[in-house]
Amino acid sequence: MTMQTLDKIAYVRSGDKGDVVSIGVIARTPEDYPKLINSITPQTVKNLFGDWVKGEVEIYPMENIHSVAVIMRRALGGGATRTLRLDQTGKAMGNGILRLPVVTNQP
């Protein structure tokens, strides 16, 4: 059995300002929204990005639009214009979050 990833059930919109990345993860269907809530936690995001995210990860569920806002602080190596990373911007990290595995039931 293959593991399903978020790219199968969600879209993203993302951006960055300074050293903060914001990602909106939007469920493709209302039925997929509980899977987003179960799959996207501060710990799963930290585990995915490892040392790239030096600060806090905040998760804000938005049930009315079947979305989750993810805020990652100190996540761009000092900021998009200061870091030496390739593809370090919020857009790249937004696409990266879609690699998280889908959790279908609560832990």
XYZ file of all heavy atoms in Angstrom:
818
model
N 0.835 -1.172 0.000
C 0.000 0.000 0.000
C 0.889 1.248 0.000
O 1.823 1.351 0.790
C -0.893 -0.018 1.247
C -1.861 1.128 1.297
S -3.133 0.841 2.528
C -2.526 1.866 3.832
N 0.609 2.179 -0.879
C 1.405 3.393 -0.935
C 0.810 4.459 -0.019
O -0.395 4.526 0.191
C 1.469 3.946 -2.375
O 0.153 4.229 -2.808
C 2.140 2.976 -3.307
N 1.708 5.278 0.497
C 1.291 6.347 1.389
C 0.800 7.535 0.559
O 1.472 7.981 -0.359
C 2.476 6.758 2.254
C 2.206 7.942 3.129
S 3.623 8.410 4.151
C 4.979 8.365 3.004
N -0.375 8.038 0.893
C -0.904 9.212 0.215
C -0.285 10.468 0.826
O -0.092 10.552 2.039
C -2.427 9.257 0.356
C -3.075 10.348 -0.454
C -4.592 10.331 -0.318
O -5.116 10.093 0.762
N -5.270 10.596 -1.410
N 0.031 11.447 -0.012
C 0.590 12.703 0.468
C -0.406 13.837 0.234
O -1.362 13.701 -0.539
C 1.927 13.002 -0.229
O 1.742 12.890 -1.645
C 3.022 12.034 0.221
N -0.180 14.957 0.899
C -1.120 16.067 0.844
C -1.371 16.601 -0.561
O -2.429 17.161 -0.823
C -0.649 17.214 1.745
C -0.782 17.011 3.243
C -0.315 18.270 3.979
C -2.187 16.666 3.650
N -0.425 16.428 -1.465
C -0.633 16.945 -2.818
C -1.842 16.302 -3.500
O -2.394 16.871 -4.436
C 0.619 16.777 -3.683
C 0.992 15.333 -3.924
O 1.043 14.546 -2.959
O 1.260 14.986 -5.080
N -2.283 15.160 -3.013
C -3.453 14.482 -3.589
C -4.771 15.055 -3.069
O -5.801 14.877 -3.693
C -3.416 12.984 -3.283
C -2.153 12.297 -3.745
C -2.019 12.317 -5.254
C -0.838 11.495 -5.686
N 0.152 12.209 -6.429
N -4.733 15.750 -1.915
C -5.982 16.220 -1.314
C -6.017 17.730 -1.073
O -7.018 18.240 -0.552
C -6.277 15.480 0.014
C -5.266 15.848 1.093
C -6.381 13.982 -0.203
C -5.702 15.512 2.501
N -4.937 18.445 -1.433
C -4.889 19.866 -1.083
C -4.131 20.694 -2.111
O -3.335 20.168 -2.895
C -4.237 20.032 0.287
N -4.423 21.991 -2.073
C -3.682 23.004 -2.829
C -2.951 23.889 -1.824
O -3.295 23.898 -0.648
C -4.639 23.913 -3.607
C -5.569 23.222 -4.551
C -6.888 22.953 -4.192
C -5.142 22.858 -5.824
C -7.761 22.333 -5.074
C -6.013 22.242 -6.713
C -7.311 21.993 -6.329
O -8.157 21.380 -7.209
N -1.980 24.651 -2.291
C -1.321 25.608 -1.400
C -1.216 26.987 -2.030
O -1.166 27.113 -3.262
C 0.107 25.168 -0.980
C 0.079 23.924 -0.148
C 1.023 25.023 -2.153
N -1.174 27.979 -1.167
C -0.806 29.357 -1.507
C 0.196 29.750 -0.439
O -0.011 29.468 0.743
C -2.016 30.287 -1.439
C -3.083 30.005 -2.449
C -2.731 30.453 -3.834
N -2.550 31.909 -3.850
C -2.001 32.567 -4.846
N -1.578 31.923 -5.907
N -1.861 33.860 -4.810
N 1.274 30.353 -0.832
C 2.293 30.652 0.158
C 3.029 31.934 -0.172
O 2.965 32.449 -1.288
C 3.273 29.483 0.264
O 3.822 29.201 -1.014
N 3.741 32.407 0.816
C 4.544 33.602 0.636
C 5.519 33.758 1.782
O 5.562 32.941 2.700
N 6.304 34.812 1.708
C 7.256 35.066 2.773
C 7.448 36.558 2.939
O 7.237 37.343 2.027
C 8.598 34.383 2.491
C 9.176 34.744 1.132
O 9.659 35.888 0.971
O 9.127 33.904 0.224
N 7.829 36.929 4.136
C 8.155 38.306 4.459
C 9.261 38.249 5.501
O 9.081 37.666 6.564
C 6.928 39.021 5.007
C 7.080 40.503 5.213
C 7.335 41.247 3.932
C 6.054 41.786 3.363
N 6.220 42.570 2.165
N 10.413 38.800 5.152
C 11.535 38.707 6.080
C 11.940 37.263 6.263
O 12.237 36.553 5.302
N 11.921 36.806 7.504
C 12.338 35.445 7.841
C 11.138 34.585 8.259
O 11.273 33.630 9.000
C 13.382 35.493 8.962
C 14.287 34.275 8.997
O 14.261 33.462 8.060
O 15.042 34.136 9.989
N 9.942 34.961 7.783
C 8.707 34.246 8.136
C 8.050 33.730 6.858
O 7.914 34.455 5.877
C 7.725 35.175 8.883
C 6.421 34.444 9.188
C 8.355 35.712 10.158
N 7.644 32.464 6.908
C 6.931 31.841 5.788
C 5.486 31.622 6.217
O 5.226 31.145 7.326
C 7.565 30.480 5.406
C 6.733 29.752 4.365
C 8.989 30.673 4.919
N 4.556 31.958 5.337
C 3.140 31.650 5.586
C 2.637 30.783 4.438
O 2.900 31.056 3.269
C 2.311 32.926 5.700
O 2.389 33.665 4.511
N 1.939 29.717 4.817
C 1.420 28.766 3.839
C -0.054 28.521 4.150
O -0.406 28.184 5.279
C 2.177 27.423 3.886
C 3.668 27.623 3.644
C 1.590 26.437 2.875
C 4.502 26.380 3.905
N -0.883 28.683 3.156
C -2.278 28.284 3.264
C -2.450 26.954 2.559
O -2.101 26.817 1.389
N -2.959 25.967 3.275
C -3.201 24.641 2.711
C -4.714 24.474 2.628
O -5.402 24.536 3.644
C -2.567 23.525 3.568
C -2.715 22.180 2.885
C -1.095 23.825 3.859
N -5.216 24.296 1.413
C -6.646 24.293 1.153
C -7.085 22.903 0.709
O -6.557 22.355 -0.272
C -6.999 25.318 0.049
C -6.462 26.702 0.419
C -8.494 25.364 -0.209
C -5.281 27.119 -0.423
N -8.060 22.348 1.409
C -8.574 21.019 1.052
C -9.266 21.083 -0.303
O -9.973 22.036 -0.607
C -9.538 20.516 2.115
N -9.058 20.065 -1.120
C -9.725 19.999 -2.428
C -11.225 19.789 -2.281
O -11.994 20.251 -3.130
C -9.121 18.886 -3.278
C -7.703 19.179 -3.723
C -7.142 18.026 -4.546
N -5.733 18.229 -4.822
C -5.249 18.510 -6.022
N -6.046 18.611 -7.055
N -3.959 18.690 -6.177
N -11.633 19.082 -1.231
C -13.056 18.862 -0.959
C -13.290 19.061 0.544
O -12.356 18.878 1.342
C -13.510 17.436 -1.339
O -12.908 16.506 -0.429
C -13.153 17.085 -2.779
N -14.510 19.404 0.944
C -14.801 19.525 2.378
C -14.508 18.228 3.146
O -14.107 18.269 4.308
C -16.297 19.868 2.423
C -16.569 20.521 1.111
C -15.654 19.824 0.120
N -14.689 17.089 2.491
C -14.422 15.797 3.140
C -12.937 15.606 3.445
O -12.589 14.814 4.324
C -14.935 14.641 2.266
C -16.442 14.618 2.088
C -16.960 15.669 1.103
O -16.236 16.065 0.167
O -18.101 16.123 1.295
N -12.065 16.306 2.722
C -10.624 16.181 2.960
C -10.124 17.063 4.104
O -9.018 16.881 4.597
C -9.844 16.542 1.690
C -9.971 15.489 0.610
O -10.126 14.293 0.947
O -9.920 15.861 -0.577
N -10.945 18.028 4.544
C -10.503 18.962 5.584
C -10.070 18.258 6.878
O -9.010 18.588 7.423
C -11.585 20.011 5.847
C -11.213 20.970 6.940
C -10.192 21.898 6.756
C -11.863 20.949 8.169
C -9.836 22.779 7.766
C -11.517 21.823 9.174
C -10.509 22.731 8.975
O -10.143 23.595 9.981
N -10.824 17.276 7.410
C -10.344 16.600 8.628
C -8.974 15.949 8.448
O -8.180 15.889 9.391
C -11.425 15.548 8.907
C -12.647 16.086 8.242
C -12.147 16.792 7.012
N -8.684 15.489 7.250
C -7.365 14.901 6.997
C -6.273 15.960 7.109
O -5.170 15.670 7.583
C -7.329 14.243 5.616
C -8.278 13.079 5.467
C -8.286 12.573 4.039
C -9.406 11.604 3.777
N -9.493 11.229 2.368
N -6.565 17.189 6.655
C -5.577 18.278 6.816
C -5.302 18.524 8.287
O -4.142 18.646 8.706
C -6.083 19.583 6.188
C -6.189 19.694 4.691
C -6.585 21.120 4.309
C -4.903 19.305 4.009
N -6.363 18.620 9.069
C -6.219 18.877 10.504
C -5.380 17.788 11.174
O -4.540 18.070 12.018
C -7.612 18.980 11.178
C -8.383 20.165 10.616
C -7.501 19.080 12.693
C -7.738 21.507 10.832
N -5.606 16.545 10.793
C -4.856 15.427 11.381
C -3.414 15.372 10.895
O -2.536 14.885 11.605
C -5.536 14.097 11.046
C -6.885 13.948 11.699
O -7.179 14.576 12.710
N -7.738 13.142 11.106
N -3.155 15.865 9.698
C -1.839 15.706 9.065
C -0.882 16.853 9.332
O 0.333 16.652 9.362
C -2.019 15.554 7.547
O -2.881 14.490 7.239
N -1.413 18.057 9.488
C -0.564 19.240 9.626
C -0.548 19.688 11.080
O -1.520 20.245 11.591
C -1.054 20.386 8.723
C -1.098 19.930 7.270
C -0.143 21.598 8.877
C -1.763 20.916 6.329
N 0.564 19.418 11.754
C 0.765 19.836 13.142
C 2.109 20.553 13.219
O 2.945 20.396 12.317
C 0.786 18.628 14.090
O 1.965 17.845 13.822
C -0.469 17.763 13.943
N 2.328 21.317 14.277
C 3.656 21.935 14.402
C 4.787 20.910 14.310
O 5.801 21.154 13.657
C 3.606 22.611 15.767
C 2.161 22.951 15.952
C 1.427 21.779 15.327
N 4.586 19.753 14.917
C 5.649 18.750 14.912
C 5.871 18.128 13.537
O 7.010 17.919 13.124
C 5.367 17.646 15.946
C 6.574 16.790 16.218
C 7.765 17.600 16.721
O 7.654 18.355 17.676
N 8.906 17.460 16.068
N 4.790 17.824 12.790
C 4.986 17.233 11.461
C 5.665 18.227 10.522
O 6.497 17.839 9.712
C 3.662 16.733 10.839
O 2.744 17.819 10.689
C 3.044 15.620 11.659
N 5.336 19.506 10.666
C 5.970 20.531 9.829
C 7.446 20.669 10.202
O 8.316 20.716 9.332
C 5.225 21.874 9.944
C 5.979 22.981 9.232
C 3.815 21.741 9.390
N 7.742 20.706 11.505
C 9.146 20.793 11.956
C 9.936 19.576 11.482
O 11.070 19.708 11.030
C 9.220 20.892 13.482
C 8.889 22.244 14.026
C 10.108 23.094 14.105
C 10.177 23.821 15.422
N 11.262 24.767 15.447
N 9.338 18.398 11.590
C 10.026 17.182 11.141
C 10.298 17.225 9.643
O 11.360 16.795 9.188
C 9.207 15.934 11.476
C 9.170 15.642 12.951
O 9.935 16.191 13.738
N 8.242 14.797 13.357
N 9.354 17.730 8.870
C 9.514 17.796 7.422
C 10.662 18.720 7.032
O 11.510 18.357 6.219
C 8.221 18.272 6.762
C 8.271 18.457 5.245
C 8.467 17.115 4.541
C 7.011 19.147 4.757
N 10.711 19.900 7.602
C 11.702 20.897 7.189
C 12.990 20.870 8.010
O 13.977 21.510 7.627
C 11.084 22.298 7.202
C 10.063 22.488 6.124
C 8.721 22.614 6.427
C 10.431 22.517 4.791
C 7.770 22.786 5.436
C 9.494 22.683 3.782
C 8.158 22.820 4.105
N 13.007 20.137 9.109
C 14.224 19.971 9.894
C 14.831 21.298 10.331
O 14.130 22.194 10.791
N 16.141 21.423 10.156
C 16.886 22.605 10.605
C 16.557 23.868 9.824
O 17.011 24.945 10.184
C 18.393 22.342 10.522
C 18.854 21.337 11.552
O 18.135 21.124 12.544
O 19.941 20.754 11.365
N 15.800 23.759 8.754
C 15.424 24.958 8.005
C 14.534 25.873 8.825
O 14.555 27.079 8.645
C 14.727 24.570 6.704
C 15.683 24.286 5.593
C 16.939 23.756 5.696
C 15.459 24.513 4.215
N 17.494 23.632 4.461
C 16.606 24.093 3.535
C 14.385 25.005 3.502
C 16.720 24.176 2.166
C 14.493 25.086 2.128
C 15.654 24.676 1.471
N 13.722 25.309 9.713
C 12.816 26.115 10.543
C 13.411 26.199 11.942
O 13.346 25.247 12.707
C 11.390 25.522 10.574
C 10.482 26.371 11.448
C 10.832 25.401 9.166
N 13.984 27.339 12.247
C 14.647 27.536 13.543
C 13.688 28.042 14.612
O 13.954 27.915 15.793
C 15.789 28.544 13.398
C 16.788 28.183 12.348
C 17.924 27.426 12.928
C 19.001 27.230 11.877
N 19.501 25.884 11.877
N 12.580 28.654 14.214
C 11.628 29.228 15.165
C 10.383 28.371 15.331
O 10.372 27.184 15.012
N 9.355 29.035 15.823
C 8.085 28.363 16.095
C 7.296 28.084 14.816
O 7.411 28.806 13.835
C 7.227 29.220 17.018
C 7.816 29.413 18.406
C 7.976 28.098 19.152
O 7.028 27.284 19.149
O 9.058 27.866 19.721
N 6.487 27.034 14.874
C 5.520 26.725 13.823
C 4.142 26.871 14.451
O 3.850 26.269 15.490
C 5.707 25.291 13.280
C 4.589 24.941 12.304
C 7.061 25.138 12.619
N 3.301 27.691 13.813
C 1.947 27.915 14.308
C 0.960 27.412 13.255
O 1.166 27.628 12.063
C 1.712 29.409 14.543
C 2.695 30.015 15.525
C 2.794 31.524 15.391
O 1.825 32.159 14.922
O 3.849 32.066 15.750
N -0.093 26.745 13.724
C -1.118 26.188 12.844
C -2.455 26.826 13.215
O -2.847 26.812 14.381
C -1.220 24.648 13.008
C 0.146 23.964 12.872
C -2.267 24.069 12.052
C 0.787 24.071 11.529
N -3.143 27.362 12.204
C -4.436 27.998 12.417
C -5.491 27.347 11.518
O -5.517 27.595 10.315
C -4.356 29.498 12.118
C -3.385 30.223 13.018
C -2.091 30.486 12.597
C -3.775 30.612 14.290
C -1.192 31.136 13.426
C -2.882 31.264 15.130
C -1.594 31.521 14.693
O -0.698 32.167 15.524
N -6.352 26.498 12.106
C -7.426 25.891 11.311
C -8.450 26.955 10.903
O -8.768 27.853 11.685
C -8.062 24.880 12.264
C -7.119 24.743 13.406
C -6.322 26.000 13.467
N -8.953 26.843 9.689
C -9.999 27.738 9.184
C -11.112 26.875 8.605
O -11.193 26.664 7.397
C -9.402 28.685 8.151
C -8.373 29.623 8.761
S -7.657 30.748 7.569
C -6.552 29.649 6.696
N -11.937 26.375 9.493
C -12.967 25.412 9.114
C -13.936 25.977 8.076
O -14.385 25.261 7.186
C -13.734 24.965 10.360
C -14.734 23.882 10.091
C -15.375 23.344 11.367
O -14.914 23.666 12.467
O -16.351 22.596 11.214
N -14.244 27.270 8.165
C -15.231 27.854 7.259
C -14.789 27.823 5.799
O -15.626 27.865 4.898
C -15.579 29.278 7.679
C -14.380 30.202 7.667
O -13.258 29.794 7.940
N -14.614 31.464 7.381
N -13.475 27.747 5.550
C -12.983 27.658 4.168
C -12.149 26.387 3.938
O -11.402 26.292 2.977
C -12.204 28.924 3.754
C -11.015 29.186 4.690
C -13.125 30.119 3.664
C -10.100 30.308 4.221
N -12.272 25.424 4.857
C -11.631 24.113 4.730
C -10.130 24.244 4.473
O -9.574 23.586 3.585
C -12.306 23.268 3.642
C -13.772 23.180 3.825
N -14.660 23.721 2.952
C -14.517 22.631 4.820
C -15.888 23.524 3.374
N -15.833 22.865 4.513
N -9.493 25.091 5.270
C -8.071 25.393 5.077
C -7.341 25.424 6.408
O -7.953 25.505 7.465
C -7.913 26.762 4.406
O -8.576 26.785 3.178
N -6.030 25.402 6.295
C -5.154 25.532 7.450
C -4.080 26.557 7.082
O -3.486 26.472 6.000
C -4.488 24.179 7.803
C -3.478 24.330 8.913
C -5.536 23.147 8.169
N -3.854 27.512 7.979
C -2.749 28.458 7.799
C -1.566 27.960 8.625
O -1.720 27.622 9.806
C -3.156 29.858 8.241
N -0.398 27.905 7.991
C 0.826 27.466 8.649
C 1.782 28.655 8.642
O 2.095 29.196 7.573
C 1.465 26.270 7.909
C 2.758 25.843 8.589
C 0.486 25.112 7.793
N 2.242 29.054 9.821
C 3.215 30.134 9.949
C 4.507 29.536 10.503
O 4.487 28.865 11.535
C 2.710 31.250 10.899
C 1.331 31.739 10.497
C 3.737 32.376 10.998
C 1.265 32.391 9.142
N 5.609 29.760 9.793
C 6.909 29.258 10.235
C 7.835 30.453 10.444
O 8.107 31.206 9.509
C 7.502 28.313 9.195
C 6.673 27.064 8.991
S 7.406 25.904 7.810
C 7.032 26.728 6.270
N 8.293 30.628 11.671
C 9.172 31.749 12.016
C 10.637 31.318 11.970
O 10.949 30.168 12.247
C 8.804 32.290 13.387
C 7.343 32.753 13.419
C 6.968 33.479 14.678
N 5.550 33.788 14.673
C 4.989 34.773 14.001
N 5.742 35.571 13.268
N 3.685 34.979 14.051
N 11.476 32.268 11.575
C 12.913 31.996 11.404
C 13.090 30.781 10.479
O 13.800 29.835 10.783
C 13.587 31.775 12.750
C 13.554 33.019 13.625
C 14.248 32.877 14.971
N 15.583 32.337 14.811
C 16.116 31.414 15.616
N 15.441 30.941 16.627
N 17.332 30.972 15.411
N 12.459 30.874 9.315
C 12.404 29.727 8.410
C 13.105 29.957 7.079
O 13.060 29.095 6.217
C 10.949 29.346 8.163
N 13.744 31.114 6.895
C 14.361 31.392 5.593
C 15.855 31.695 5.690
O 16.415 32.341 4.811
C 13.637 32.564 4.907
C 12.216 32.259 4.450
C 11.555 33.532 3.938
C 12.212 31.193 3.380
N 16.488 31.240 6.742
C 17.925 31.458 6.862
C 18.289 32.934 6.958
O 19.305 33.355 6.430
N 17.429 33.717 7.609
C 17.694 35.146 7.766
C 16.857 36.018 6.849
O 16.812 37.221 7.001
N 16.194 35.433 5.886
C 15.367 36.176 4.942
C 15.732 35.821 3.516
O 16.865 35.419 3.221
N 14.781 35.988 2.619
C 14.967 35.571 1.228
C 16.143 36.252 0.549
O 16.797 35.663 -0.309
C 13.686 35.810 0.432
N 16.446 37.479 0.928
C 17.565 38.186 0.276
C 18.890 37.976 0.986
O 19.924 38.398 0.468
C 17.283 39.703 0.203
O 17.103 40.208 1.527
C 16.054 39.977 -0.637
N 18.896 37.292 2.134
C 20.128 37.102 2.900
C 20.645 35.668 2.907
O 21.811 35.426 3.149
C 19.909 37.534 4.350
C 19.619 39.013 4.456
C 19.431 39.430 5.885
N 20.566 39.003 6.674
C 20.608 39.076 7.986
N 19.576 39.539 8.650
N 21.670 38.685 8.656
N 19.779 34.711 2.665
C 20.150 33.313 2.797
C 20.996 32.831 1.618
O 20.920 33.386 0.514
C 18.896 32.427 2.947
O 19.317 31.092 3.224
C 18.050 32.434 1.694
N 21.753 31.796 1.866
C 22.551 31.173 0.809
C 21.868 29.928 0.246
O 22.411 29.261 -0.622
C 23.935 30.800 1.349
C 24.783 31.986 1.808
C 26.095 31.494 2.395
C 25.025 32.961 0.681
N 20.685 29.608 0.738
C 19.952 28.433 0.259
C 19.445 28.658 -1.156
O 19.117 29.761 -1.556
C 18.722 28.180 1.118
C 18.986 27.824 2.527
C 17.636 27.568 3.188
N 17.745 27.608 4.624
C 16.711 27.777 5.422
N 15.503 27.927 4.921
N 16.883 27.800 6.719
N 19.330 27.570 -1.902
C 18.640 27.597 -3.184
C 17.180 27.252 -2.930
O 16.866 26.421 -2.083
C 19.255 26.575 -4.146
C 20.720 26.810 -4.505
C 21.227 25.660 -5.356
C 20.893 28.130 -5.212
N 16.261 27.843 -3.678
C 14.821 27.569 -3.532
C 14.352 27.684 -2.090
O 13.628 26.846 -1.595
C 14.472 26.182 -4.081
C 14.483 26.143 -5.585
O 14.311 27.209 -6.199
O 14.663 25.059 -6.142
N 14.748 28.731 -1.428
C 14.428 28.903 -0.023
C 13.144 29.671 0.224
O 12.702 29.770 1.346
C 15.570 29.637 0.675
C 15.550 31.155 0.499
C 15.782 31.654 -0.918
O 16.242 30.913 -1.758
N 15.464 32.889 -1.181
N 12.532 30.215 -0.772
C 11.404 31.109 -0.551
C 10.155 30.383 -0.063
O 10.060 29.155 -0.126
C 11.058 31.870 -1.845
O 10.621 30.932 -2.823
C 12.230 32.662 -2.365
N 9.199 31.171 0.391
C 7.935 30.610 0.861
C 7.243 29.772 -0.190
O 6.606 28.775 0.123
N 7.354 30.155 -1.456
C 6.704 29.373 -2.517
C 7.287 27.961 -2.589
O 6.559 26.993 -2.744
C 6.836 30.087 -3.845
C 6.094 31.415 -3.840
C 5.441 31.688 -5.152
C 4.737 33.005 -5.160
N 3.750 33.233 -4.150
N 8.584 27.852 -2.493
C 9.213 26.531 -2.529
C 8.817 25.712 -1.305
O 8.528 24.513 -1.409
C 10.727 26.658 -2.617
N 8.779 26.357 -0.137
C 8.406 25.632 1.079
C 6.924 25.262 1.051
O 6.531 24.221 1.574
C 8.776 26.445 2.308
C 10.295 26.575 2.454
S 10.794 27.548 3.872
C 10.756 26.267 5.138
N 6.105 26.099 0.419
C 4.690 25.767 0.267
C 4.509 24.499 -0.543
O 3.719 23.616 -0.182
N 5.230 24.394 -1.630
C 5.158 23.163 -2.419
C 5.721 21.987 -1.633
O 5.232 20.869 -1.757
C 5.890 23.335 -3.747
C 5.104 24.174 -4.712
O 3.902 24.043 -4.810
N 5.780 25.054 -5.425
N 6.738 22.233 -0.825
C 7.339 21.168 -0.029
C 6.392 20.579 0.999
O 6.422 19.379 1.267
N 5.521 21.415 1.571
C 4.616 20.912 2.612
C 3.650 19.871 2.053
O 3.140 19.023 2.781
C 3.869 22.071 3.313
C 3.482 21.653 4.732
C 2.670 22.536 2.514
C 3.036 22.803 5.596
N 3.434 19.902 0.747
C 2.540 18.918 0.125
C 3.119 17.502 0.145
O 2.437 16.544 -0.200
C 2.211 19.329 -1.310
C 1.326 20.573 -1.436
C 1.164 20.958 -2.898
C -0.020 20.360 -0.773
N 4.372 17.356 0.583
C 4.977 16.021 0.727
C 4.587 15.340 2.032
O 4.897 14.167 2.241
C 6.498 16.123 0.666
C 7.018 16.611 -0.650
C 8.529 16.638 -0.695
N 9.098 16.683 0.632
C 10.202 17.342 0.968
N 10.870 18.005 0.070
N 10.661 17.324 2.195
N 3.935 16.083 2.950
C 3.525 15.456 4.209
C 2.567 14.296 3.939
O 1.695 14.392 3.079
C 2.811 16.469 5.105
C 3.672 17.425 5.905
C 2.794 18.451 6.621
C 4.544 16.684 6.900
N 2.695 13.213 4.699
C 1.757 12.105 4.545
C 0.382 12.482 5.092
O 0.265 13.226 6.058
C 2.390 10.977 5.357
C 3.410 11.596 6.214
C 3.775 12.912 5.633
N -0.650 11.957 4.460
C -2.025 12.161 4.909
C -2.307 11.228 6.078
O -2.077 10.022 5.990
C -3.014 11.905 3.760
C -4.449 11.943 4.270
C -2.806 12.913 2.645
N -2.808 11.804 7.169
C -3.244 11.037 8.330
C -4.761 11.017 8.295
O -5.398 12.060 8.356
C -2.729 11.674 9.641
C -3.256 10.914 10.856
C -1.213 11.749 9.649
N -5.340 9.831 8.153
C -6.787 9.739 7.964
C -7.577 9.713 9.259
O -8.734 10.060 9.277
C -7.156 8.506 7.125
O -6.597 7.350 7.750
C -6.627 8.633 5.715
N -6.980 9.303 10.362
C -7.692 9.342 11.632
C -6.800 9.954 12.705
O -5.590 9.932 12.594
C -8.201 7.971 12.067
C -7.249 6.860 11.763
O -6.131 7.089 11.338
N -7.691 5.645 11.940
N -7.433 10.497 13.722
C -6.695 11.192 14.759
C -5.789 10.251 15.509
O -6.121 9.078 15.688
C -7.637 11.877 15.735
C -8.389 13.024 15.103
C -9.277 13.716 16.101
O -9.869 13.075 16.957
N -9.367 15.024 15.998
N -4.651 10.789 15.970
C -3.711 9.947 16.729
C -4.281 9.499 18.047
O -5.185 10.042 18.569
C -2.500 10.865 16.943
C -2.887 12.233 16.546
C -4.186 12.146 15.817
